[in-house]
Amino acid sequence: MAIHLSGIVGPSARLDTMSASASFVEHVRDLLSPIGALTDGSFFGGHAFKYRQVQFAMIMGSTLYFRVNERTRKAYELKGSKPFSYLTKKGVVQVRKYYAAPADLLESQEQLLTWARQAIDAEQAITPSTPPSRSA
């Protein structure tokens, strides 16, 4: 079970199921504040959370999604979490690099921060901190 499964979103979904809930964003921001160096902002109807300019989480509707990689994805699947999905004219698209955060994380700030730090690590393992140099 995820923190709040709003279901699959897409062109036929109501705007309120796609748009990030302002009160939920504020609640998650408060819970994540001990991480420090945290920035956040709106994007494509959702809300992104970044640590040192690297996005590690997003909220769509009232669902928090964390960045995963091959090492961390299994823990989400074992908790029954699903990847972020949306509808297109061609069908459902699953974004397997973002999984819904398990519901019990909102009950423990300590656990939420642990999973958030794993999401930060998952993204940083993929995103180099400095761009590679170009050779001419």
Side-chain angles (χ1 to χ4, degrees):
M1 178 70 81
I3 283 181
H4 183 281
L5 287 177
S6 56
I8 297 170
V9 296
S12 62
R14 290 184 15 210
L15 184 58
D16 62 322
T17 60
M18 284 184 60
S19 299
S21 160
S23 61
F24 188 61
V25 168
E26 183 64 32
H27 180 64
V28 171
R29 183 184 298 125
D30 289 345
L31 291 173
L32 293 177
S33 65
I35 289 175
L38 189 67
T39 58
D40 63 278
S42 299
F43 79 108
F44 301 113
H47 203 85
F49 287 91
K50 296 179 180 183
Y51 176 76
R52 297 188 177 163
Q53 306 304 315
V54 177
Q55 183 174 330
F56 70 95
M58 68 179 183
I59 293 175
M60 296 299 282
S62 292
T63 303
L64 173 63
Y65 295 90
F66 279 138
R67 177 71 163 97
V68 301
N69 62 18
E70 292 304 316
R71 184 179 52 81
T72 60
R73 182 177 292 115
K74 186 76 169 171
Y76 288 82
E77 292 171 342
L78 289 172
K79 291 266 196 176
S81 295
K82 302 291 183 202
F84 172 68
S85 301
Y86 61 93
L87 281 175
T88 68
K89 290 180 182 180
K90 294 183 179 183
V92 176
V93 175
Q94 287 189 342
V95 181
R96 293 186 43 83
K97 67 180 187 176
Y98 283 95
Y99 267 67
D104 58 343
L105 295 185
L106 277 185
E107 297 170 15
S108 167
Q109 184 180 31
E110 182 180 332
Q111 284 297 311
L112 181 70
L113 292 171
T114 297
W115 284 59
R117 287 182 181 106
Q118 290 173 355
I120 291 167
D121 291 345
E123 180 58 35
Q124 289 179 337
I126 295 166
T127 306
S129 57
T130 57
S133 61
R134 285 188 157 174
S135 21

